[in-house]
Amino acid sequence: MWPRVVVAVINKVTGRWTVFDGVRFFAWLWIWLVAYWMIAPSLQWPFASREDAVQDMALYAAGSVILPFLIGIMTAVKNNPFWREQRTVNRLTLHLYIYQGASIGFHLGYFVVFAFSLTRYYLRIQPAVWIEVIEMLIPLLIGYAGAQLVPHNLWRAYGRLHLKDGGIFFVFAVLGPFWAWFFFEFYDVLIAQGIGIIILLLSASMLAAVMAIQYWRKGNTIIPILWWIVFGAVIFICRVASLLAGSS
């Protein structure tokens, strides 16, 4: 009985697959492996040497730019009923916002994994390879969700897709290289002295609060530019404070 049930389930699932679905599956598999190769080493502490730290953070910086681009490529637009109905949308602008959304989601997912890794480090828990491999799914999944949500939310908020409406958020495209440099320079303060978890919690709490306020006021989570400036300034102050605390 059970062999028949298993065969029936497999046939039901694979019966809907096409050749293109198989290609997409293997494409995502390769992206997943690339994410593990480029991103996971930046979360394996302590670094063996300064040279290893430079290499690992350089890989992360490159991956933070390349992987959102790959996620954007895998985000289907032609088969999306919503975008097919929007005849006036500029396709180039749409794809730029897809990349922006993938970048935002990817970095959000990365810092979620970063928080997990930081907690493990403080608890002196050595992660297994299979756990790290699974963790690399988080930036990809959230990045894929962001690639679809950001342009959709912008269209709902403004009724159009213009670069002037959300162009400021392309700063996320350079967030990875900036974070790689910052983490490398202040590694001892953020990791060894335990300040990193406080900065992450403050950042996440502030971001969640302002998004909730904006949704309550406007019905969307598009954060105004001024709020981003204030948010960035506060985070910068916290980082400077952590540096001063580490040097004292």
Side-chain angles (χ1 to χ4, degrees):
M1 176 179 178
W2 283 110
R4 294 180 180 178
V5 172
V6 172
V7 171
V9 171
I10 293 176
N11 288 336
K12 186 175 182 180
V13 174
T14 58
R16 300 178 181 178
W17 271 42
T18 65
V19 174
F20 296 103
D21 292 325
V23 171
R24 284 179 59 85
F25 171 79
F26 283 105
W28 276 114
L29 180 62
W30 279 108
I31 293 173
W32 184 17
L33 294 175
V34 170
Y36 177 75
W37 171 60
M38 301 189 77
I39 304 301
S42 68
L43 301 171
Q44 297 169 350
W45 313 309
F47 295 120
S49 64
R50 184 177 180 86
E51 290 73 19
D52 287 342
V54 171
Q55 178 180 329
D56 293 344
M57 297 314 297
L59 276 174
Y60 160 74
S64 68
V65 177
I66 294 172
L67 287 166
F69 176 75
L70 297 177
I71 294 171
I73 292 176
M74 297 299 295
T75 303
V77 175
K78 292 183 179 180
N79 297 328
N80 189 312
F82 178 81
W83 294 117
R84 282 207 306 264
E85 296 175 0
Q86 316 307 325
R87 302 293 183 181
T88 60
V89 65
N90 183 287
R91 293 294 164 176
L92 176 60
T93 304
L94 174 58
H95 284 287
L96 286 174
Y97 275 122
I98 286 174
Y99 174 75
Q100 183 193 91
S103 184
I104 293 173
F106 175 84
H107 286 99
L108 178 60
Y110 173 81
F111 283 112
V112 168
V113 178
F114 183 90
F116 290 153
S117 300
L118 203 59
T119 302
R120 283 200 306 263
Y121 179 82
Y122 292 151
L123 296 177
R124 301 293 188 268
I125 300 175
Q126 294 296 327
V129 174
W130 66 270
I131 293 179
E132 293 181 329
V133 172
I134 293 176
E135 285 179 342
M136 290 302 103
L137 282 174
I138 296 177
L140 299 182
L141 291 174
I142 301 180
Y144 183 69
Q148 300 185 69
L149 288 175
V150 165
H152 184 268
N153 286 344
L154 282 170
W155 183 271
R156 290 187 58 190
Y158 298 104
R160 62 189 185 187
L161 281 184
H162 288 179
L163 291 179
K164 66 179 182 180
D165 295 327
I168 184 64
F169 301 113
F170 283 105
V171 69
F172 278 92
V174 297
L175 177 60
F178 173 78
W179 173 256
W181 168 81
F182 181 86
F183 185 79
F184 176 76
E185 291 293 330
F186 305 129
Y187 165 77
D188 291 336
V189 176
L190 293 173
I191 300 299
Q193 299 188 20
I195 304 297
I197 193 66
I198 298 176
I199 294 177
L200 281 177
L201 288 175
L202 284 174
S203 303
S205 299
M206 289 180 58
L207 183 60
V210 296
M211 290 180 69
I213 293 172
Q214 182 67 2
Y215 186 82
W216 175 68
R217 292 176 66 246
K218 302 292 185 178
N220 61 69
T221 56
I222 306 300
I223 302 175
I225 295 175
L226 179 60
W227 291 20
W228 278 106
I229 294 174
V230 174
F231 176 74
V234 172
I235 299 304
F236 178 76
I237 292 171
C238 290
R239 288 173 174 175
V240 172
S242 69
L243 176 61
L244 295 176
S247 59
S248 61

